[in-house]
Amino acid sequence: MAQRYASNSEPEYSNSSGKYSRSYKSGDRNGTSAPGRTYNPDYVSHGTYRQPTSLVLIDGTHALITTKLTGEIYSFNTEDQSISLAFSDGHRQFQRIIQLDGDMIAVTDTLNNELVVCRFDQKANRCIEVAVTKIAGGSNGLYFDPVASELWVTSAWAQRLYRFDVDCDGDQSLKHASLTLIQSIDLPMCGGQVLCLPGSGVVMVTDAFGCEYVMLDQTSGDTINHAELYEHNICELAMIDDGKAVLFPQQLLNGLTAALESDITWGNFLSNNVRIIATERLVKHTGSSIYTGSKFLPIGEFGNGAGDPTSMAMNGRNDIAVTVGGTNQLAIGTLDGLRFRFVDLGFRPIDCEFTPDGKTVIVINQFSDSISLVDLETRTAEHVALGALRPTTETEHGEMLFHDSTLSHDSWMSCQSCHTGGHTNGLLTDNFTDKSYRSPKRVLSLLGQAETSPYSWAGTMQTLEDQVAFSIKSTMASDEAVRSEDVDHLSQYVRTLKRPPSIVQARTDAAQNVQEQAGISRGKEFFAAAGCLDCHGGSHYTNTGVFDVGMSDERELREFNPPSLVAVSQRQNSLFHDGRAKSIHDVVIKENHQMPSDATDDQRLDLIHFLMSL
């Protein structure tokens, strides 16, 4: 049975050796929060840690919930609050789920880079796999166009958008489905959210990590507009006014301010918001003119920055709900309102849906393996556990902390805010790690970088623990003393973050053709002959020293620690300390970075091929 939202005890993380006393902030925040505390799960040694990631309301009463760590799909009955295991495959890791036609669903499997189509049998309360297809580079965003019966899938690492024809057939007792690839479209950035806009004939795709987006012709796939927003971490795309406007939760990092408590307090350094922009502006404009006539709904406020929005839902009656993963809350407001109200939930709410009557919001909480049912009128919540939950390990505790905005001053940001998915948003931030002020530097990726000390652009942090402790105390301006166990656990988690595949690896299922292999091989030879290994050597293609790189920052600092070139193709829209190069091509051709004076055009092209393959 559901537990009533009434706990007055502080929640604690726990592991097999006991309990961690790190607690989330909760309770009343400037009169905006519902009474009660964050849901605190019970931990048992025989339990399972599932990490629910996504949900879809398949009909009026059944919500299907996917899990990351166990490859399961649960069926949750909203009327009697019963939970059934509808699908289980321990060799999968599910990330996103959407509804196709009728009782058909599509689920992304990030472990095997597959897209899985299932039929939900309501009577048996189970999901039956009916189709599966490989997605080169792994699937990320999903959108189904019911009119054309087409499924659009983005890939972050292949930097692509895939378009499938979905064919479902059969009677009510047994359905089959097929996915036919219609089109594969190369993107100028890592593919994130995707949305088809009826009437305008365009498809919008956002960057999975940074600020870029493209508008594509829905029929041909040709690029209509490629532009850059001010915002990043766009976790959802939705439309209003019959597609005339697009709205999305997002975070806004201001590179013109610094990580000072005074700038953080009011959201001047980093803010959390919902943005509404006219589709016509997104299609035809670039730069600041995109925002003409746009609307801005701040989620965070003084005392509660509401760090890290993770999903959004609307009920058709002007109400909007946003899950705030960093503070374990649901923000409830209206499209024409000026202020959100908050309800405390479980650990890291990550997805939500309104019930058909628009009166209740169903929320899943990733780190507490729980479901929250939020009454819109009373702003109270009931909680249901997916099942028995085991204690978390120290590394899993580090993952929780990585996404915990209460580590920062007034809960405005977490590590995830700038290092989306452990990667980088590609933006500039003045966080003082180079011991200077008013000289913002590009956010560095953490994926596969744990053993590339020293850290920071100036090489000022000798160990990962030093960097983590500094980030909590200085960059995030923590309101509390930095705890050594938090630093240790965060560092353990960062060390588990694997390097992404290069774009060449992600786009190529088989070995490269002979011509590509030859170009990469020649580029590797030129890389060594040109002296690039002096700064970018070893298996990580980096160095422990600092070097004069022929360019300076605002404080005339010219010596930088060379960042690792591993998977540099996945951050190629923002390179160098100030992001001045927008591609590897820019580094080699436009910036002529450390190129020998006699380098030929062919050698430069081969070098680009080699760097794209790392």
Side-chain angles (χ1 to χ4, degrees):
M1 295 297 292
Q3 299 179 18
R4 191 66 185 172
Y5 182 86
S7 173
N8 289 316
S9 60
E10 288 288 351
E12 297 178 325
Y13 295 118
S14 65
N15 74 352
S16 57
S17 62
K19 293 208 170 192
Y20 300 114
S21 57
R22 168 72 195 168
S23 300
Y24 286 108
K25 296 177 182 177
S26 57
D28 185 55
R29 298 171 179 84
N30 300 315
T32 64
S33 178
R37 300 262 185 199
T38 302
Y39 165 74
N40 185 20
D42 294 324
Y43 297 94
V44 293
S45 59
H46 63 273
T48 303
Y49 190 32
R50 303 163 186 82
Q51 284 202 10
T53 54
S54 185
L55 76 92
V56 65
L57 199 61
I58 197 73
D59 55 32
T61 58
H62 289 86
L64 297 181
I65 300 166
T66 57
T67 67
K68 175 184 176 181
L69 299 185
T70 54
E72 295 171 326
I73 303 176
Y74 285 88
S75 170
F76 174 65
N77 189 307
T78 60
E79 292 183 342
D80 61 15
Q81 299 183 2
S82 61
I83 296 176
S84 302
L85 181 60
F87 184 92
S88 179
D89 184 345
H91 298 290
R92 297 190 184 276
Q93 291 184 353
F94 292 136
Q95 188 65 35
R96 296 179 186 271
I97 183 172
I98 62 169
Q99 184 176 10
L100 305 177
D101 286 326
D103 54 7
M104 307 296 282
I105 59 171
V107 190
T108 61
D109 173 10
T110 57
L111 180 62
N112 301 291
N113 290 346
E114 292 181 339
L115 181 67
V116 182
V117 176
C118 296
R119 179 179 69 86
F120 176 59
D121 184 337
Q122 184 174 334
K123 291 183 179 179
N125 243 342
R126 65 190 182 112
C127 292
I128 304 166
E129 183 177 312
V130 294
V132 62
T133 187
K134 283 283 185 181
I135 302 291
S139 51
N140 192 10
L142 294 176
Y143 182 84
F144 180 67
D145 179 358
V147 177
S149 194
E150 292 179 351
L151 179 63
W152 298 79
V153 185
T154 63
S155 169
W157 303 133
Q159 298 180 28
R160 276 181 174 164
L161 174 65
Y162 300 101
R163 178 185 177 193
F164 290 93
D165 175 71
V166 181
D167 183 22
C168 301
D169 60 81
D171 56 31
Q172 292 300 314
S173 61
L174 181 63
K175 280 191 176 181
H176 300 278
S178 63
L179 295 171
T180 304
L181 181 64
I182 302 173
Q183 201 171 18
S184 175
I185 304 167
D186 290 346
L187 299 171
M189 75 284 181
C190 295
Q193 301 299 315
V194 56
L195 176 69
C196 295
L197 295 160
S200 59
V202 298
V203 178
M204 181 177 182
V205 183
T206 62
D207 194 320
F209 307 103
C211 301
E212 293 184 80
Y213 75 93
V214 290
M215 307 298 282
L216 306 170
D217 183 281
Q218 190 169 351
T219 302
S220 68
D222 295 337
T223 299
I224 300 172
N225 192 19
H226 173 206
E228 190 169 312
L229 297 165
Y230 297 142
E231 299 89 355
H232 71 287
N233 278 351
I234 297 172
C235 61
E236 191 105 27
L237 287 175
M239 57 187 171
I240 55 175
D241 298 336
D242 296 323
K244 294 179 181 177
V246 176
L247 71 159
F248 48 88
Q250 40 81 3
Q251 294 187 286
L252 181 60
L253 179 63
N254 186 352
L256 300 178
T257 63
L260 296 169
E261 186 172 310
S262 56
D263 280 331
I264 295 173
T265 296
W266 298 101
N268 295 330
F269 179 70
L270 187 145
S271 60
N272 305 282
N273 320 278
V274 172
R275 178 75 79 172
I276 304 174
I277 303 178
T279 301
E280 183 267 343
R281 309 302 298 187
L282 292 165
V283 171
K284 298 181 179 180
H285 295 264
T286 60
S288 60
S289 64
I290 293 173
Y291 293 90
T292 301
S294 69
K295 191 171 183 179
F296 186 77
L297 304 176
I299 304 174
E301 59 186 4
F302 177 80
N304 179 24
D308 293 4
T310 51
S311 72
M312 175 185 66
M314 294 178 291
N315 65 359
R317 299 187 317 191
N318 208 36
D319 295 311
I320 181 172
V322 180
T323 52
V324 185
T327 59
N328 308 321
Q329 295 175 301
L330 183 71
I332 301 172
T334 59
L335 292 178
D336 55 4
L338 297 175
R339 193 179 189 187
F340 284 90
R341 294 184 172 187
F342 297 89
V343 177
D344 292 322
L345 303 172
F347 297 159
R348 200 182 185 226
I350 195 170
D351 201 4
C352 67
E353 289 274 4
F354 274 96
T355 54
D357 61 10
K359 297 179 180 180
T360 303
V361 186
I362 309 169
V363 184
I364 54 171
N365 306 295
Q366 182 177 10
F367 295 152
S368 56
D369 272 17
S370 61
I371 304 164
S372 297
L373 302 174
V374 180
D375 186 294
L376 207 63
E377 182 178 353
T378 63
R379 291 190 293 116
T380 57
E382 289 184 323
H383 306 288
V384 182
L386 277 182
L389 177 62
R390 68 162 171 79
T392 53
T393 66
E394 292 181 352
T395 300
E396 290 164 348
H397 178 231
E399 182 183 17
M400 293 178 176
L401 292 171
F402 190 88
H403 297 85
D404 184 358
S405 294
T406 70
L407 281 177
S408 69
H409 176 58
D410 281 345
S411 304
W412 283 98
M413 73 193 92
S414 70
C415 307
Q416 162 77 10
S417 298
C418 293
H419 299 284
T420 311
H423 198 34
T424 170
N425 57 20
L427 298 174
L428 304 183
T429 179
D430 195 0
N431 59 19
F432 311 129
T433 53
D434 58 357
K435 306 300 183 183
S436 68
Y437 178 58
R438 297 301 185 194
S439 58
K441 303 292 191 300
R442 176 175 60 83
V443 174
L444 291 163
S445 175
L446 301 179
L447 299 180
Q449 307 298 312
E451 305 307 324
T452 59
S453 63
Y455 304 95
S456 86
W457 281 99
T460 54
M461 301 294 163
Q462 295 303 310
T463 69
L464 184 57
E465 284 74 13
D466 290 341
Q467 178 64 71
V468 168
F470 184 89
S471 296
I472 297 173
K473 188 60 182 176
S474 182
T475 304
M476 300 168 71
S478 178
D479 296 322
E480 302 174 7
V482 179
R483 296 162 52 94
S484 60
E485 57 262 50
D486 288 352
V487 172
D488 290 342
H489 298 168
L490 263 168
S491 300
Q492 287 183 44
Y493 171 67
V494 171
R495 288 191 172 95
T496 68
L497 298 176
K498 299 178 181 179
R499 58 161 286 181
S502 70
I503 189 172
V504 172
Q505 293 169 326
R507 287 183 174 180
T508 308
D509 294 325
Q512 294 90 8
N513 61 44
V514 175
Q515 185 176 359
E516 288 175 329
Q517 289 178 329
I520 292 171
S521 179
R522 291 193 303 267
K524 183 176 183 179
E525 292 176 359
F526 179 72
F527 185 84
C532 302
L533 289 171
D534 293 343
C535 295
H536 297 282
S539 60
H540 293 289
Y541 290 91
T542 185
N543 196 297
T544 59
V546 292
F547 302 88
D548 187 332
V549 297
M551 60 185 77
S552 61
D553 68 5
E554 293 81 355
R555 298 296 177 183
E556 298 305 318
L557 176 67
R558 296 177 60 87
E559 293 189 341
F560 298 96
N561 174 248
S564 169
L565 295 182
V566 170
V568 65
S569 60
Q570 299 297 358
R571 53 184 187 271
Q572 63 167 324
N573 57 356
S574 182
L575 297 168
F576 293 137
H577 71 277
D578 55 6
R580 70 178 66 183
K582 300 303 179 184
S583 68
I584 295 176
H585 182 276
D586 281 357
V587 171
V588 175
I589 307 297
K590 182 179 177 181
E591 299 295 334
N592 198 34
H593 183 59
Q594 305 295 321
M595 285 293 100
S597 58
D598 60 350
T600 67
D601 290 345
D602 286 342
Q603 286 174 325
R604 292 170 186 265
L605 185 59
D606 288 339
L607 178 60
I608 292 171
H609 286 317
F610 170 64
L611 294 173
M612 294 286 281
S613 73
L614 289 178

